[in-house]
Amino acid sequence: MIRLLHTSDWHLGKRLYDWPRLEEQQCFLTWLVDEVRHKAVDALLICGDIFDSSNPPAEAERLYYEFLARLRSASPSTQIIISSGNHDSALRLSAPRDILSALNTHIACFARTKSGERNYKELIVPLYKQGKQVATCIALPYLRQGDYDMTKSYEQGVSDLITELYSEAAKDHLPIIAMAHLFVMGGKFSSDKADLFPSIGLAERISADVFPKDIQYVALGHLHRPHSISPDERIRYSGSPMPFDFSEHTYTHGVTLVEMDELSLSVEALHFRSPAPLLTVRGSMQDIEAFMMQQPEKPIDTFTPFLHIELESETVSPLEKVKIKQLCRNRYVRLAKATLRGNAATAPENSPNESGKEQRMDPLEIASLEYRKRIGAEMSEATQALFTEAVQKVLSEV
């Protein structure tokens, strides 16, 4: 029996409408160290998007390395396997790999070596328990151009790569686990709005069938809602450890504990509750006033609740904008977002405007609309193909 802990999408350094969240992320990492130790986890699988950007703030990197050091001290025998996500810089994440390998930490960021050969050493990782190999892990980072056969569709190229890695891993004649950072069809977005994941573009989708049936567990990252793709829990997104937007606070977050051997698989969701809640209040100005009067009067701190106000009104005047900010003053809330629900399209000052149709469109649709406005004609298929290629190239370097 081997015990795994599956997690992903930490997005260290991410802010919520300019409010920092490093203290919350510190609480999660402290909780995670305790869970690994208390649950006697044999291997920790971190499936991409460790950081929120390719150039994370120094404080976020400090959290990451302090976590690795604390975990190694708290649970010396736990293997750590980390694969890069689309938000991570593969070069930056892999830079200390030689040092981390001495601490029983494996980094998987590149599908090919510098000479262009398949990087089996990085993508196929033996899993040990008490010094004996008990399983083999296929560690697949977020795939960029050149990582798979570009003469084929994305799905076929990824499928062929997984089949190739599976054949190599099967040579160990041991149970096989896979971890990947990608979008599997059937996966659920954070909310009903698919535009929360514009980089996916609904083109980089693959079928769950690309994972051979003999792979006993597939640990996925990329989508923030924790859920299983398969009825038997064999293919699963762990989800993000906390809600990163108000669209993500309606469901639980955390990590996934997996116990398995050659004949059985057991999956358990471990829930983490962030110490800084996300609150939403909807209604008229009178409703919002009543809500705010119920909030404590005290200075804000690092765990003060974040607040999203949705004002239901046909119009909004400058005085109402000022009033919303005044209502929040000296109350134990952090106003993160304020929007208007109604026919008007004006949101309070300094708040994101989410009413535009463009926010529900993919990049090609937006470009086609702008092209039509400026040129007065439809974008040709050749131009569309060039635009799509350019977008994919930019995204592959993010």
Side-chain angles (χ1 to χ4, degrees), residues 222-364:
H222 205 17
L223 301 186
H224 292 184
R225 182 190 294 268
H227 64 286
S228 177
I229 296 294
S230 57
D232 59 0
E233 301 275 359
R234 188 180 69 93
I235 305 175
R236 182 175 176 83
Y237 283 98
S238 66
S240 60
M242 64 180 67
F244 291 119
D245 192 84
F246 289 95
S247 63
E248 299 182 3
H249 81 299
T250 57
Y251 50 87
T252 58
H253 294 258
V255 300
T256 301
L257 181 67
V258 180
E259 289 185 295
M260 55 168 281
D261 57 23
E262 295 181 1
L263 301 175
S264 65
L265 174 70
S266 172
V267 174
E268 178 187 0
L270 305 179
H271 298 148
F272 171 75
R273 184 181 295 275
S274 174
L278 271 64
L279 307 177
T280 298
V281 56
R282 301 180 180 91
S284 65
M285 183 61 75
Q286 291 73 24
D287 296 327
I288 293 169
E289 287 180 9
F291 172 85
M292 294 305 301
M293 291 299 293
Q294 298 173 6
Q295 307 311 306
E297 286 191 78
K298 63 177 183 178
I300 63 172
D301 54 36
T302 55
F303 299 136
T304 300
F306 297 102
L307 179 62
H308 174 200
I309 292 178
E310 292 188 0
L311 175 62
E312 294 179 344
S313 175
E314 293 300 316
T315 59
V316 59
S317 70
L319 289 177
E320 287 175 314
K321 297 177 185 180
V322 172
K323 190 170 186 178
I324 286 175
K325 293 181 179 180
Q326 289 178 335
L327 288 172
C328 296
R329 193 168 298 157
N330 300 324
R331 298 289 176 176
Y332 193 62
V333 293
R334 287 180 282 184
L335 179 60
K337 183 179 181 183
T339 54
L340 175 68
R341 295 170 63 88
N343 293 330
T346 304
E349 188 178 357
N350 296 328
S351 298
N353 181 358
E354 296 187 345
S355 63
K357 179 182 177 183
E358 287 81 359
Q359 296 209 12
R360 299 189 298 273
M361 301 165 65
D362 66 27
L364 180 57

Side-chain angles (χ1 to χ4, degrees), residues 140-183:
L140 203 62
Y142 177 74
L143 297 174
R144 294 174 166 83
Q145 287 186 349
D147 291 336
Y148 55 91
D149 189 345
M150 294 296 293
T151 65
K152 302 178 181 179
S153 68
Y154 177 82
E155 181 175 14
Q156 188 59 55
V158 172
S159 178
D160 291 348
L161 172 57
I162 292 173
T163 299
E164 175 190 343
L165 295 173
Y166 172 79
S167 299
E168 187 69 19
K171 294 176 181 179
D172 291 337
H173 303 289
L174 292 169
I176 297 176
I177 298 155
M179 55 188 291
H181 191 89
L182 41 72
F183 179 33

Side-chain angles (χ1 to χ4, degrees), residues 12-131:
L12 298 179
K14 186 173 181 63
R15 303 169 73 90
L16 181 63
Y17 298 105
D18 278 342
W19 290 104
R21 305 190 72 186
L22 285 171
E23 290 81 4
E24 296 172 77
Q25 294 175 331
Q26 174 73 77
C27 289
F28 162 69
L29 295 176
T30 299
W31 173 85
L32 184 58
V33 168
D34 290 340
E35 289 298 312
V36 169
R37 181 168 56 87
H38 291 150
K39 299 291 192 300
V41 170
D42 298 305
L44 174 65
L45 310 181
I46 309 174
C47 303
D49 281 359
I50 289 84
F51 298 105
D52 189 54
S53 72
S54 58
N55 186 26
E59 296 87 348
E61 288 193 294
R62 177 181 56 78
L63 285 186
Y64 169 66
Y65 289 112
E66 285 183 351
F67 161 78
L68 294 178
R70 291 202 315 272
L71 182 60
R72 181 54 57 232
S73 176
S75 185
S77 63
T78 299
Q79 246 179 298
I80 305 172
I81 304 176
I82 301 169
S83 61
S84 58
N86 57 302
H87 281 254
D88 299 312
S89 164
L91 284 171
R92 194 182 194 105
L93 198 63
S94 65
R97 74 172 68 205
D98 292 339
I99 296 174
L100 294 179
S101 65
L103 300 175
N104 204 16
T105 300
H106 182 93
I107 309 292
C109 292
F110 299 103
R112 295 188 182 277
T113 64
K114 290 182 179 180
S115 61
E117 299 175 347
R118 183 62 67 211
N119 198 355
Y120 290 130
K121 183 178 180 181
E122 188 161 316
L123 303 183
I124 299 177
V125 188
L127 296 181
Y128 295 94
K129 184 169 185 174
Q130 297 176 348

